[in-house]
Amino acid sequence: MGTHVGTSGWSYDHWEHVLYPSGTPSRQRLGCYVQQFDTVELNASFYRWPRDASFASWRRRLPEGFVFSVKAPRGLTHGKRLYAPEAWIGRMTSAWHELGDRRGVLLVQLPPAMERDDARLAYFLDLLPEWMKVAVEFRHHSWHHDAVYELLEHHRAAYCIMSGADLPCVLRATAPFVYIRMHGPDHHHLYGGSYSEQDLHWWADRIAEWEAAGKEVFVYFNNDGGGNAVRNAHTLRSYLGNY
């Protein structure tokens, strides 16, 4: 339980001198990352779902207590838009078994053009194993409705809370855990800018409220440019007293 703060991804060339020393080979970047954070959100899985052997390798390389969240593949979310998800669910479940006690949350990000379809979402959530934590990130405004929040609550799935340009920041907790994606404070461009100390203090207060309500909290910074995600994650952790 508690709160886990990390970043979306761990391997960026422009994080040299911020997270890892200059010249660090890409294969060694995860080792640098886990020395400073206890969780990460894998985003590369959105573009190409890794083999089970890769998940097993990550489990062996990650330290005890580290939690590894994974973004669902775009073939499922943006290609099929959750239609006929059985094959993908089989692959994701197999990978989740390989992660073992290092697994965190499966992030399911729906495309901006996908309008509300409660039946399709319910069918997908019904097929997921009960032991798999899942968070759903809605990008079309039609999904932001009480009936959708109730559907998520019924399946113990988290509504993904978002911070970013043109994204609604709805502070709704629909599961035993809270999932937050920090896409950057820039009002015009996603993934841009660095959060101010005032912004991060505000988020620390919200997280403390969820913790007091018994919620486990996952926070991932996605404003990777210039190492902003790393710096913001460190600052938020310091405000939460997690160092």
Short mmCIF file of all heavy atoms in Angstrom, two decimals, residues 85-149:
data_model
loop_
_atom_site.label_atom_id
_atom_site.label_comp_id
_atom_site.label_asym_id
_atom_site.label_seq_id
_atom_site.Cartn_x
_atom_site.Cartn_y
_atom_site.Cartn_z
N PRO A 85 -11.63 -8.35 -27.54
CA PRO A 85 -10.34 -8.21 -26.87
C PRO A 85 -9.71 -9.52 -26.38
O PRO A 85 -8.64 -9.50 -25.79
CB PRO A 85 -10.70 -7.34 -25.66
CG PRO A 85 -12.08 -7.80 -25.30
CD PRO A 85 -12.76 -8.08 -26.63
N GLU A 86 -10.35 -10.66 -26.63
CA GLU A 86 -9.93 -11.91 -26.00
C GLU A 86 -8.46 -12.25 -26.24
O GLU A 86 -7.73 -12.64 -25.32
CB GLU A 86 -10.82 -13.06 -26.49
CG GLU A 86 -12.23 -13.06 -25.91
CD GLU A 86 -13.18 -12.13 -26.65
OE1 GLU A 86 -12.75 -11.42 -27.59
OE2 GLU A 86 -14.38 -12.12 -26.29
N ALA A 87 -7.99 -12.14 -27.48
CA ALA A 87 -6.61 -12.52 -27.78
C ALA A 87 -5.62 -11.62 -27.04
O ALA A 87 -4.62 -12.09 -26.48
CB ALA A 87 -6.36 -12.46 -29.28
N TRP A 88 -5.92 -10.33 -27.03
CA TRP A 88 -5.03 -9.40 -26.33
C TRP A 88 -5.04 -9.64 -24.83
O TRP A 88 -3.99 -9.56 -24.17
CB TRP A 88 -5.41 -7.96 -26.64
CG TRP A 88 -4.81 -7.43 -27.91
CD1 TRP A 88 -5.48 -7.03 -29.03
CD2 TRP A 88 -3.43 -7.24 -28.19
NE1 TRP A 88 -4.60 -6.61 -30.00
CE2 TRP A 88 -3.33 -6.73 -29.49
CE3 TRP A 88 -2.26 -7.47 -27.46
CZ2 TRP A 88 -2.10 -6.43 -30.09
CZ3 TRP A 88 -1.03 -7.16 -28.04
CH2 TRP A 88 -0.96 -6.65 -29.33
N ILE A 89 -6.20 -9.93 -24.28
CA ILE A 89 -6.27 -10.19 -22.85
C ILE A 89 -5.45 -11.42 -22.48
O ILE A 89 -4.77 -11.45 -21.45
CB ILE A 89 -7.74 -10.35 -22.40
CG1 ILE A 89 -8.43 -8.99 -22.42
CG2 ILE A 89 -7.83 -10.96 -21.00
CD1 ILE A 89 -9.90 -9.01 -22.07
N GLY A 90 -5.45 -12.43 -23.34
CA GLY A 90 -4.63 -13.61 -23.10
C GLY A 90 -3.16 -13.25 -23.04
O GLY A 90 -2.42 -13.72 -22.17
N ARG A 91 -2.69 -12.41 -23.96
CA ARG A 91 -1.29 -12.02 -23.98
C ARG A 91 -0.92 -11.18 -22.77
O ARG A 91 0.14 -11.35 -22.17
CB ARG A 91 -0.98 -11.25 -25.27
CG ARG A 91 -1.06 -12.07 -26.53
CD ARG A 91 -0.68 -11.27 -27.76
NE ARG A 91 0.74 -10.88 -27.72
CZ ARG A 91 1.32 -10.12 -28.64
NH1 ARG A 91 0.60 -9.66 -29.66
NH2 ARG A 91 2.60 -9.80 -28.55
N MET A 92 -1.81 -10.26 -22.39
CA MET A 92 -1.52 -9.40 -21.24
C MET A 92 -1.52 -10.19 -19.94
O MET A 92 -0.69 -9.97 -19.06
CB MET A 92 -2.54 -8.25 -21.20
CG MET A 92 -2.41 -7.29 -22.37
SD MET A 92 -3.46 -5.80 -22.26
CE MET A 92 -5.10 -6.53 -22.27
N THR A 93 -2.45 -11.13 -19.83
CA THR A 93 -2.51 -11.96 -18.62
C THR A 93 -1.26 -12.82 -18.49
O THR A 93 -0.69 -12.96 -17.40
CB THR A 93 -3.76 -12.86 -18.66
OG1 THR A 93 -4.93 -12.04 -18.74
CG2 THR A 93 -3.84 -13.72 -17.41
N SER A 94 -0.79 -13.36 -19.60
CA SER A 94 0.44 -14.16 -19.58
C SER A 94 1.62 -13.32 -19.12
O SER A 94 2.44 -13.76 -18.29
CB SER A 94 0.70 -14.74 -20.97
OG SER A 94 1.87 -15.52 -20.98
N ALA A 95 1.71 -12.10 -19.62
CA ALA A 95 2.79 -11.20 -19.21
C ALA A 95 2.68 -10.85 -17.73
O ALA A 95 3.70 -10.78 -17.02
CB ALA A 95 2.74 -9.93 -20.06
N TRP A 96 1.46 -10.66 -17.27
CA TRP A 96 1.24 -10.31 -15.86
C TRP A 96 1.70 -11.43 -14.94
O TRP A 96 2.24 -11.18 -13.87
CB TRP A 96 -0.24 -9.97 -15.64
CG TRP A 96 -0.47 -8.63 -15.01
CD1 TRP A 96 -1.22 -8.37 -13.90
CD2 TRP A 96 0.01 -7.36 -15.45
NE1 TRP A 96 -1.22 -7.03 -13.62
CE2 TRP A 96 -0.47 -6.39 -14.56
CE3 TRP A 96 0.82 -6.96 -16.52
CZ2 TRP A 96 -0.17 -5.03 -14.69
CZ3 TRP A 96 1.11 -5.61 -16.66
CH2 TRP A 96 0.63 -4.67 -15.75
N HIS A 97 1.49 -12.67 -15.36
CA HIS A 97 1.98 -13.80 -14.58
C HIS A 97 3.51 -13.76 -14.48
O HIS A 97 4.08 -14.05 -13.42
CB HIS A 97 1.54 -15.12 -15.21
CG HIS A 97 0.13 -15.50 -14.90
ND1 HIS A 97 -0.32 -15.71 -13.61
CD2 HIS A 97 -0.95 -15.71 -15.72
CE1 HIS A 97 -1.60 -16.04 -13.63
NE2 HIS A 97 -2.01 -16.04 -14.89
N GLU A 98 4.18 -13.38 -15.58
CA GLU A 98 5.64 -13.34 -15.57
C GLU A 98 6.16 -12.24 -14.64
O GLU A 98 7.23 -12.40 -14.03
CB GLU A 98 6.17 -13.10 -16.99
CG GLU A 98 5.91 -14.24 -17.95
CD GLU A 98 6.62 -15.53 -17.56
OE1 GLU A 98 7.59 -15.47 -16.77
OE2 GLU A 98 6.21 -16.59 -18.04
N LEU A 99 5.45 -11.14 -14.52
CA LEU A 99 5.89 -10.05 -13.64
C LEU A 99 5.78 -10.42 -12.16
O LEU A 99 6.50 -9.88 -11.32
CB LEU A 99 5.07 -8.78 -13.90
CG LEU A 99 5.52 -7.90 -15.05
CD1 LEU A 99 4.58 -6.70 -15.18
CD2 LEU A 99 6.95 -7.40 -14.86
N GLY A 100 4.88 -11.34 -11.85
CA GLY A 100 4.74 -11.81 -10.47
C GLY A 100 4.46 -10.67 -9.51
O GLY A 100 3.61 -9.81 -9.75
N ASP A 101 5.22 -10.63 -8.40
CA ASP A 101 4.95 -9.64 -7.36
C ASP A 101 5.51 -8.25 -7.70
O ASP A 101 5.45 -7.34 -6.89
CB ASP A 101 5.50 -10.10 -6.01
CG ASP A 101 7.00 -10.33 -6.03
OD1 ASP A 101 7.64 -10.11 -7.08
OD2 ASP A 101 7.55 -10.73 -4.99
N ARG A 102 6.03 -8.07 -8.91
CA ARG A 102 6.50 -6.75 -9.35
C ARG A 102 5.42 -6.01 -10.14
O ARG A 102 5.60 -4.86 -10.49
CB ARG A 102 7.75 -6.87 -10.21
CG ARG A 102 8.93 -7.59 -9.57
CD ARG A 102 9.44 -6.89 -8.30
NE ARG A 102 10.74 -7.40 -7.90
CZ ARG A 102 10.93 -8.36 -7.01
NH1 ARG A 102 9.87 -8.95 -6.43
NH2 ARG A 102 12.15 -8.75 -6.68
N ARG A 103 4.31 -6.67 -10.44
CA ARG A 103 3.30 -6.04 -11.29
C ARG A 103 2.58 -4.93 -10.54
O ARG A 103 2.28 -5.03 -9.35
CB ARG A 103 2.31 -7.06 -11.81
CG ARG A 103 1.59 -7.87 -10.76
CD ARG A 103 0.76 -8.98 -11.40
NE ARG A 103 0.14 -9.83 -10.42
CZ ARG A 103 0.25 -11.15 -10.38
NH1 ARG A 103 0.97 -11.78 -11.29
NH2 ARG A 103 -0.36 -11.86 -9.45
N GLY A 104 2.29 -3.86 -11.30
CA GLY A 104 1.56 -2.74 -10.75
C GLY A 104 0.18 -2.66 -11.36
O GLY A 104 -0.71 -3.45 -11.04
N VAL A 105 -0.02 -1.71 -12.29
CA VAL A 105 -1.34 -1.46 -12.88
C VAL A 105 -1.23 -1.55 -14.40
O VAL A 105 -0.26 -1.10 -15.01
CB VAL A 105 -1.84 -0.06 -12.48
CG1 VAL A 105 -3.21 0.24 -13.10
CG2 VAL A 105 -1.90 0.07 -10.95
N LEU A 106 -2.26 -2.12 -15.03
CA LEU A 106 -2.39 -2.10 -16.48
C LEU A 106 -3.12 -0.82 -16.86
O LEU A 106 -4.27 -0.62 -16.46
CB LEU A 106 -3.16 -3.32 -16.98
CG LEU A 106 -3.45 -3.34 -18.49
CD1 LEU A 106 -2.16 -3.58 -19.28
CD2 LEU A 106 -4.49 -4.41 -18.83
N LEU A 107 -2.46 0.06 -17.62
CA LEU A 107 -3.08 1.29 -18.07
C LEU A 107 -3.71 1.08 -19.44
O LEU A 107 -3.03 0.69 -20.39
CB LEU A 107 -2.05 2.42 -18.15
CG LEU A 107 -2.53 3.69 -18.86
CD1 LEU A 107 -3.62 4.39 -18.04
CD2 LEU A 107 -1.36 4.62 -19.13
N VAL A 108 -5.00 1.36 -19.55
CA VAL A 108 -5.73 1.24 -20.81
C VAL A 108 -6.12 2.65 -21.24
O VAL A 108 -7.04 3.26 -20.69
CB VAL A 108 -6.98 0.36 -20.65
CG1 VAL A 108 -7.76 0.28 -21.95
CG2 VAL A 108 -6.59 -1.04 -20.17
N GLN A 109 -5.38 3.18 -22.21
CA GLN A 109 -5.65 4.54 -22.70
C GLN A 109 -6.48 4.47 -23.96
O GLN A 109 -6.05 3.92 -24.97
CB GLN A 109 -4.33 5.28 -22.99
CG GLN A 109 -4.54 6.71 -23.45
CD GLN A 109 -3.28 7.30 -24.05
OE1 GLN A 109 -2.91 7.00 -25.18
NE2 GLN A 109 -2.60 8.15 -23.29
N LEU A 110 -7.69 5.02 -23.92
CA LEU A 110 -8.57 5.00 -25.08
C LEU A 110 -8.28 6.21 -25.98
O LEU A 110 -7.86 7.26 -25.50
CB LEU A 110 -10.04 5.00 -24.63
CG LEU A 110 -10.45 3.81 -23.75
CD1 LEU A 110 -11.94 3.87 -23.46
CD2 LEU A 110 -10.09 2.49 -24.42
N PRO A 111 -8.48 6.07 -27.29
CA PRO A 111 -8.13 7.15 -28.22
C PRO A 111 -9.06 8.35 -28.11
O PRO A 111 -10.23 8.21 -27.71
CB PRO A 111 -8.25 6.48 -29.59
CG PRO A 111 -9.17 5.33 -29.38
CD PRO A 111 -8.94 4.85 -27.98
N PRO A 112 -8.58 9.54 -28.47
CA PRO A 112 -9.39 10.76 -28.35
C PRO A 112 -10.68 10.71 -29.15
O PRO A 112 -11.66 11.35 -28.77
CB PRO A 112 -8.45 11.85 -28.89
CG PRO A 112 -7.08 11.30 -28.70
CD PRO A 112 -7.19 9.83 -28.91
N ALA A 113 -10.70 9.97 -30.25
CA ALA A 113 -11.90 9.94 -31.09
C ALA A 113 -12.89 8.86 -30.67
O ALA A 113 -13.97 8.75 -31.26
CB ALA A 113 -11.51 9.73 -32.55
N MET A 114 -12.55 8.05 -29.67
CA MET A 114 -13.44 6.98 -29.25
C MET A 114 -14.47 7.50 -28.27
O MET A 114 -14.17 7.83 -27.12
CB MET A 114 -12.66 5.83 -28.61
CG MET A 114 -13.55 4.65 -28.22
SD MET A 114 -12.58 3.26 -27.58
CE MET A 114 -13.92 2.16 -27.03
N GLU A 115 -15.71 7.57 -28.72
CA GLU A 115 -16.79 8.07 -27.87
C GLU A 115 -17.27 6.99 -26.91
O GLU A 115 -16.95 5.82 -27.04
CB GLU A 115 -17.94 8.57 -28.75
CG GLU A 115 -17.56 9.73 -29.66
CD GLU A 115 -18.73 10.25 -30.45
OE1 GLU A 115 -19.89 9.96 -30.07
OE2 GLU A 115 -18.50 10.94 -31.46
N ARG A 116 -18.03 7.44 -25.95
CA ARG A 116 -18.52 6.57 -24.89
C ARG A 116 -19.28 5.36 -25.43
O ARG A 116 -20.15 5.49 -26.29
CB ARG A 116 -19.43 7.38 -23.96
CG ARG A 116 -20.02 6.58 -22.82
CD ARG A 116 -20.93 7.46 -21.99
NE ARG A 116 -21.73 6.66 -21.07
CZ ARG A 116 -22.76 7.15 -20.38
NH1 ARG A 116 -23.10 8.42 -20.51
NH2 ARG A 116 -23.45 6.34 -19.58
N ASP A 117 -18.92 4.18 -24.90
CA ASP A 117 -19.59 2.93 -25.25
C ASP A 117 -19.52 2.05 -24.01
O ASP A 117 -18.60 1.26 -23.84
CB ASP A 117 -18.90 2.27 -26.45
CG ASP A 117 -19.64 1.04 -26.96
OD1 ASP A 117 -20.37 0.42 -26.16
OD2 ASP A 117 -19.47 0.69 -28.15
N ASP A 118 -20.52 2.20 -23.14
CA ASP A 118 -20.51 1.49 -21.87
C ASP A 118 -20.49 -0.02 -22.04
O ASP A 118 -19.80 -0.74 -21.31
CB ASP A 118 -21.73 1.89 -21.03
CG ASP A 118 -21.69 3.34 -20.58
OD1 ASP A 118 -20.85 4.10 -21.13
OD2 ASP A 118 -22.48 3.72 -19.70
N ALA A 119 -21.24 -0.52 -23.00
CA ALA A 119 -21.33 -1.97 -23.20
C ALA A 119 -19.97 -2.55 -23.60
O ALA A 119 -19.56 -3.61 -23.11
CB ALA A 119 -22.38 -2.30 -24.26
N ARG A 120 -19.26 -1.86 -24.48
CA ARG A 120 -17.96 -2.37 -24.91
C ARG A 120 -16.96 -2.32 -23.76
O ARG A 120 -16.17 -3.26 -23.58
CB ARG A 120 -17.44 -1.56 -26.11
CG ARG A 120 -16.15 -2.11 -26.68
CD ARG A 120 -15.74 -1.44 -27.98
NE ARG A 120 -16.72 -1.67 -29.04
CZ ARG A 120 -16.49 -1.40 -30.33
NH1 ARG A 120 -15.32 -0.90 -30.70
NH2 ARG A 120 -17.41 -1.63 -31.23
N LEU A 121 -16.97 -1.25 -22.99
CA LEU A 121 -16.06 -1.16 -21.85
C LEU A 121 -16.38 -2.24 -20.82
O LEU A 121 -15.48 -2.89 -20.28
CB LEU A 121 -16.16 0.22 -21.22
CG LEU A 121 -15.32 0.44 -19.96
CD1 LEU A 121 -13.83 0.27 -20.26
CD2 LEU A 121 -15.58 1.83 -19.36
N ALA A 122 -17.67 -2.43 -20.54
CA ALA A 122 -18.07 -3.44 -19.55
C ALA A 122 -17.65 -4.84 -20.00
O ALA A 122 -17.19 -5.65 -19.19
CB ALA A 122 -19.57 -3.38 -19.32
N TYR A 123 -17.82 -5.14 -21.28
CA TYR A 123 -17.43 -6.45 -21.80
C TYR A 123 -15.93 -6.69 -21.60
O TYR A 123 -15.49 -7.76 -21.17
CB TYR A 123 -17.80 -6.56 -23.28
CG TYR A 123 -17.47 -7.89 -23.90
CD1 TYR A 123 -18.29 -9.00 -23.68
CD2 TYR A 123 -16.34 -8.05 -24.69
CE1 TYR A 123 -17.98 -10.24 -24.23
CE2 TYR A 123 -16.03 -9.28 -25.26
CZ TYR A 123 -16.85 -10.37 -25.03
OH TYR A 123 -16.56 -11.59 -25.57
N PHE A 124 -15.14 -5.67 -21.90
CA PHE A 124 -13.70 -5.78 -21.74
C PHE A 124 -13.33 -5.98 -20.27
O PHE A 124 -12.56 -6.89 -19.93
CB PHE A 124 -13.03 -4.50 -22.28
CG PHE A 124 -11.58 -4.38 -21.92
CD1 PHE A 124 -10.63 -5.20 -22.51
CD2 PHE A 124 -11.17 -3.44 -20.99
CE1 PHE A 124 -9.29 -5.08 -22.18
CE2 PHE A 124 -9.83 -3.31 -20.66
CZ PHE A 124 -8.88 -4.14 -21.25
N LEU A 125 -13.89 -5.19 -19.39
CA LEU A 125 -13.55 -5.30 -17.97
C LEU A 125 -14.02 -6.63 -17.38
O LEU A 125 -13.36 -7.19 -16.49
CB LEU A 125 -14.17 -4.13 -17.19
CG LEU A 125 -13.61 -2.74 -17.52
CD1 LEU A 125 -14.39 -1.66 -16.78
CD2 LEU A 125 -12.11 -2.65 -17.19
N ASP A 126 -15.13 -7.15 -17.88
CA ASP A 126 -15.63 -8.45 -17.40
C ASP A 126 -14.64 -9.57 -17.68
O ASP A 126 -14.57 -10.55 -16.93
CB ASP A 126 -16.97 -8.79 -18.08
CG ASP A 126 -18.16 -8.14 -17.40
OD1 ASP A 126 -18.05 -7.83 -16.20
OD2 ASP A 126 -19.18 -7.94 -18.07
N LEU A 127 -13.87 -9.45 -18.76
CA LEU A 127 -12.96 -10.51 -19.17
C LEU A 127 -11.62 -10.47 -18.44
O LEU A 127 -10.88 -11.46 -18.46
CB LEU A 127 -12.71 -10.44 -20.68
CG LEU A 127 -13.90 -10.75 -21.60
CD1 LEU A 127 -13.48 -10.63 -23.06
CD2 LEU A 127 -14.45 -12.14 -21.33
N LEU A 128 -11.30 -9.36 -17.83
CA LEU A 128 -10.01 -9.25 -17.13
C LEU A 128 -10.02 -10.08 -15.85
O LEU A 128 -11.04 -10.13 -15.14
CB LEU A 128 -9.71 -7.79 -16.79
CG LEU A 128 -9.42 -6.84 -17.95
CD1 LEU A 128 -9.23 -5.43 -17.43
CD2 LEU A 128 -8.19 -7.30 -18.73
N PRO A 129 -8.91 -10.71 -15.50
CA PRO A 129 -8.84 -11.44 -14.23
C PRO A 129 -9.04 -10.49 -13.06
O PRO A 129 -8.61 -9.33 -13.11
CB PRO A 129 -7.41 -12.00 -14.23
CG PRO A 129 -6.95 -11.94 -15.65
CD PRO A 129 -7.65 -10.80 -16.27
N GLU A 130 -9.68 -10.96 -12.01
CA GLU A 130 -9.97 -10.10 -10.87
C GLU A 130 -8.70 -9.60 -10.19
O GLU A 130 -8.70 -8.53 -9.57
CB GLU A 130 -10.84 -10.85 -9.86
CG GLU A 130 -12.26 -11.13 -10.34
CD GLU A 130 -13.11 -11.79 -9.27
OE1 GLU A 130 -12.58 -12.03 -8.16
OE2 GLU A 130 -14.29 -12.07 -9.55
N TRP A 131 -7.62 -10.36 -10.30
CA TRP A 131 -6.38 -9.99 -9.63
C TRP A 131 -5.54 -8.98 -10.41
O TRP A 131 -4.48 -8.55 -9.96
CB TRP A 131 -5.53 -11.23 -9.34
CG TRP A 131 -5.38 -12.17 -10.50
CD1 TRP A 131 -6.15 -13.27 -10.78
CD2 TRP A 131 -4.42 -12.08 -11.56
NE1 TRP A 131 -5.72 -13.87 -11.93
CE2 TRP A 131 -4.65 -13.17 -12.43
CE3 TRP A 131 -3.37 -11.21 -11.85
CZ2 TRP A 131 -3.89 -13.39 -13.58
CZ3 TRP A 131 -2.61 -11.42 -13.00
CH2 TRP A 131 -2.88 -12.50 -13.84
N MET A 132 -6.00 -8.58 -11.58
CA MET A 132 -5.27 -7.62 -12.40
C MET A 132 -5.78 -6.20 -12.14
O MET A 132 -6.95 -5.90 -12.40
CB MET A 132 -5.41 -7.96 -13.89
CG MET A 132 -4.63 -7.01 -14.81
SD MET A 132 -4.86 -7.41 -16.58
CE MET A 132 -3.91 -8.92 -16.73
N LYS A 133 -4.93 -5.35 -11.60
CA LYS A 133 -5.32 -3.95 -11.41
C LYS A 133 -5.33 -3.27 -12.77
O LYS A 133 -4.40 -3.40 -13.56
CB LYS A 133 -4.31 -3.22 -10.51
CG LYS A 133 -4.32 -3.63 -9.06
CD LYS A 133 -3.40 -2.69 -8.28
CE LYS A 133 -3.49 -2.97 -6.79
NZ LYS A 133 -2.24 -3.54 -6.24
N VAL A 134 -6.39 -2.50 -13.04
CA VAL A 134 -6.50 -1.81 -14.32
C VAL A 134 -6.99 -0.38 -14.10
O VAL A 134 -7.82 -0.13 -13.23
CB VAL A 134 -7.44 -2.57 -15.29
CG1 VAL A 134 -8.85 -2.66 -14.72
CG2 VAL A 134 -7.46 -1.90 -16.66
N ALA A 135 -6.40 0.54 -14.88
CA ALA A 135 -6.84 1.93 -14.89
C ALA A 135 -7.19 2.31 -16.32
O ALA A 135 -6.50 1.88 -17.26
CB ALA A 135 -5.74 2.85 -14.35
N VAL A 136 -8.24 3.08 -16.50
CA VAL A 136 -8.68 3.47 -17.84
C VAL A 136 -8.54 4.97 -17.99
O VAL A 136 -9.06 5.74 -17.17
CB VAL A 136 -10.14 3.03 -18.11
CG1 VAL A 136 -10.51 3.33 -19.56
CG2 VAL A 136 -10.33 1.55 -17.80
N GLU A 137 -7.83 5.38 -19.05
CA GLU A 137 -7.65 6.80 -19.34
C GLU A 137 -8.53 7.17 -20.52
O GLU A 137 -8.36 6.67 -21.63
CB GLU A 137 -6.18 7.09 -19.67
CG GLU A 137 -5.91 8.57 -19.90
CD GLU A 137 -4.43 8.87 -20.11
OE1 GLU A 137 -3.67 7.94 -20.48
OE2 GLU A 137 -4.03 10.02 -19.91
N PHE A 138 -9.50 8.05 -20.26
CA PHE A 138 -10.46 8.47 -21.28
C PHE A 138 -10.01 9.80 -21.88
O PHE A 138 -9.77 10.76 -21.16
CB PHE A 138 -11.85 8.63 -20.67
CG PHE A 138 -12.40 7.38 -20.03
CD1 PHE A 138 -12.44 7.25 -18.65
CD2 PHE A 138 -12.87 6.34 -20.81
CE1 PHE A 138 -12.95 6.11 -18.04
CE2 PHE A 138 -13.39 5.19 -20.21
CZ PHE A 138 -13.43 5.07 -18.83
N ARG A 139 -9.97 9.84 -23.21
CA ARG A 139 -9.58 11.08 -23.86
C ARG A 139 -10.76 11.80 -24.56
O ARG A 139 -10.62 12.94 -24.96
CB ARG A 139 -8.47 10.80 -24.88
CG ARG A 139 -7.12 10.42 -24.24
CD ARG A 139 -6.54 11.57 -23.44
NE ARG A 139 -5.23 11.27 -22.87
CZ ARG A 139 -4.07 11.50 -23.47
NH1 ARG A 139 -4.04 12.00 -24.69
NH2 ARG A 139 -2.94 11.23 -22.85
N HIS A 140 -11.90 11.12 -24.71
CA HIS A 140 -13.08 11.78 -25.31
C HIS A 140 -13.99 12.23 -24.18
O HIS A 140 -14.26 11.49 -23.23
CB HIS A 140 -13.81 10.83 -26.25
CG HIS A 140 -14.83 11.51 -27.11
ND1 HIS A 140 -16.10 11.81 -26.67
CD2 HIS A 140 -14.76 11.98 -28.39
CE1 HIS A 140 -16.77 12.42 -27.64
NE2 HIS A 140 -15.98 12.53 -28.69
N HIS A 141 -14.50 13.45 -24.29
CA HIS A 141 -15.28 14.06 -23.20
C HIS A 141 -16.55 13.29 -22.86
O HIS A 141 -17.06 13.39 -21.72
CB HIS A 141 -15.63 15.51 -23.57
CG HIS A 141 -16.55 15.62 -24.77
ND1 HIS A 141 -17.92 15.53 -24.66
CD2 HIS A 141 -16.27 15.81 -26.08
CE1 HIS A 141 -18.45 15.66 -25.87
NE2 HIS A 141 -17.49 15.83 -26.75
N SER A 142 -17.09 12.51 -23.78
CA SER A 142 -18.36 11.83 -23.53
C SER A 142 -18.26 10.79 -22.42
O SER A 142 -19.28 10.41 -21.82
CB SER A 142 -18.86 11.15 -24.82
OG SER A 142 -17.95 10.17 -25.28
N TRP A 143 -17.05 10.33 -22.11
CA TRP A 143 -16.87 9.31 -21.08
C TRP A 143 -17.00 9.87 -19.67
O TRP A 143 -17.17 9.10 -18.72
CB TRP A 143 -15.50 8.66 -21.22
CG TRP A 143 -15.34 7.75 -22.40
CD1 TRP A 143 -14.77 8.06 -23.59
CD2 TRP A 143 -15.75 6.38 -22.50
NE1 TRP A 143 -14.79 6.97 -24.44
CE2 TRP A 143 -15.38 5.93 -23.78
CE3 TRP A 143 -16.39 5.49 -21.63
CZ2 TRP A 143 -15.64 4.62 -24.22
CZ3 TRP A 143 -16.62 4.19 -22.06
CH2 TRP A 143 -16.26 3.77 -23.34
N HIS A 144 -16.90 11.16 -19.53
CA HIS A 144 -16.90 11.74 -18.19
C HIS A 144 -18.34 11.92 -17.70
O HIS A 144 -18.95 12.99 -17.80
CB HIS A 144 -16.13 13.06 -18.20
CG HIS A 144 -14.68 12.85 -18.53
ND1 HIS A 144 -14.18 13.02 -19.81
CD2 HIS A 144 -13.64 12.43 -17.77
CE1 HIS A 144 -12.89 12.73 -19.81
NE2 HIS A 144 -12.54 12.37 -18.59
N HIS A 145 -18.86 10.81 -17.18
CA HIS A 145 -20.27 10.73 -16.79
C HIS A 145 -20.38 9.83 -15.57
O HIS A 145 -19.64 8.86 -15.42
CB HIS A 145 -21.08 10.17 -17.96
CG HIS A 145 -22.55 10.26 -17.80
ND1 HIS A 145 -23.27 9.37 -17.01
CD2 HIS A 145 -23.45 11.14 -18.29
CE1 HIS A 145 -24.54 9.69 -17.06
NE2 HIS A 145 -24.69 10.77 -17.82
N ASP A 146 -21.31 10.14 -14.69
CA ASP A 146 -21.47 9.35 -13.46
C ASP A 146 -21.70 7.88 -13.73
O ASP A 146 -21.22 7.02 -12.97
CB ASP A 146 -22.62 9.91 -12.63
CG ASP A 146 -22.25 11.20 -11.90
OD1 ASP A 146 -21.04 11.48 -11.77
OD2 ASP A 146 -23.17 11.92 -11.47
N ALA A 147 -22.43 7.56 -14.79
CA ALA A 147 -22.70 6.15 -15.09
C ALA A 147 -21.40 5.41 -15.43
O ALA A 147 -21.26 4.22 -15.11
CB ALA A 147 -23.69 6.05 -16.25
N VAL A 148 -20.47 6.09 -16.08
CA VAL A 148 -19.18 5.47 -16.40
C VAL A 148 -18.37 5.26 -15.13
O VAL A 148 -17.75 4.20 -14.93
CB VAL A 148 -18.40 6.33 -17.41
CG1 VAL A 148 -17.01 5.74 -17.67
CG2 VAL A 148 -19.18 6.45 -18.73
N TYR A 149 -18.38 6.24 -14.24
CA TYR A 149 -17.66 6.09 -12.97
C TYR A 149 -18.24 4.92 -12.17
O TYR A 149 -17.50 4.16 -11.54
CB TYR A 149 -17.75 7.38 -12.15
CG TYR A 149 -17.25 8.61 -12.87
CD1 TYR A 149 -17.89 9.83 -12.70
CD2 TYR A 149 -16.14 8.57 -13.70
CE1 TYR A 149 -17.44 10.97 -13.35
CE2 TYR A 149 -15.68 9.69 -14.36
CZ TYR A 149 -16.34 10.89 -14.18
OH TYR A 149 -15.89 12.02 -14.82
#
